[in-house]
């Protein structure tokens, strides 16, 4: 069952290949090659991270790599989800409160 989401695909492709990814404890099927931040939003994932000081929730804002609000941790490295494409087997989680590693 797909989580409730305010976001939807503008031009869904019926033949798009879906791959398995994991965000935290949630198993997801996302379209391969699509923008990771956009695909996570469509899947109902929010927030992507929490601020280190106040714990305020954050998610994609600019979608072009300028704001750093879409940070996620993949393979122990903190990266901007808006600058990545969906690939099979991604293990994604919220960055640690202390910021994790930077790419």
């Amino acid at each position: 069952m797909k989580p409730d989401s305010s976001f939807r695909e503008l031009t869904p492709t019926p033949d798009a290949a879906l791959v398995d990814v994991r965000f935290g404890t949630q198993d997801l099927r996302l379209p391969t090659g699509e923008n990771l931040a956009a695909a996570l939003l469509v899947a109902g994932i929010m927030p992507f991270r929490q601020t280190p000081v106040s714990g305020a929730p954050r998610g994609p804002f600019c979608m072009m790599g300028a704001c750093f609000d879409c940070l996620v941790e993949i393979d122990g490295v903190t990266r901007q989800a808006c600058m990545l494409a969906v690939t099979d087997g991604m293990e994604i989680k919220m960055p640690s409160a202390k910021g994790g590693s930077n790419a």
Side-chain angles (χ1 to χ4, degrees):
M1 184 164 111
K2 189 173 181 177
D4 235 5
S5 176
S6 307
F7 297 92
R8 61 182 175 79
E9 291 178 89
L10 293 178
T11 54
T13 309
D15 59 345
L18 299 177
V19 294
D20 295 316
V21 304
R22 181 184 270 290
F23 186 92
T25 60
Q26 296 180 17
D27 291 323
L28 304 169
R29 302 258 311 142
L30 302 179
T32 188
E34 292 296 320
N35 180 278
L36 178 60
L40 289 172
L41 287 172
V42 169
I45 302 298
M46 192 59 190
F48 284 30
R49 70 178 187 97
Q50 296 175 322
T51 58
V53 176
S54 70
R58 292 288 186 260
F61 180 71
C62 74
M63 294 298 287
M64 62 182 193
C67 74
F68 294 89
D69 276 343
C70 67
L71 292 176
V72 293
E73 187 176 310
I74 301 172
D75 297 327
V77 179
T78 302
R79 314 252 332 252
Q80 292 167 279
C82 72
M83 301 302 288
L84 299 172
V86 174
T87 58
D88 190 28
M90 291 180 112
E91 294 279 338
I92 309 159
K93 60 183 183 178
M94 285 190 182
S96 68
K98 294 187 184 348
S101 305
N102 289 317

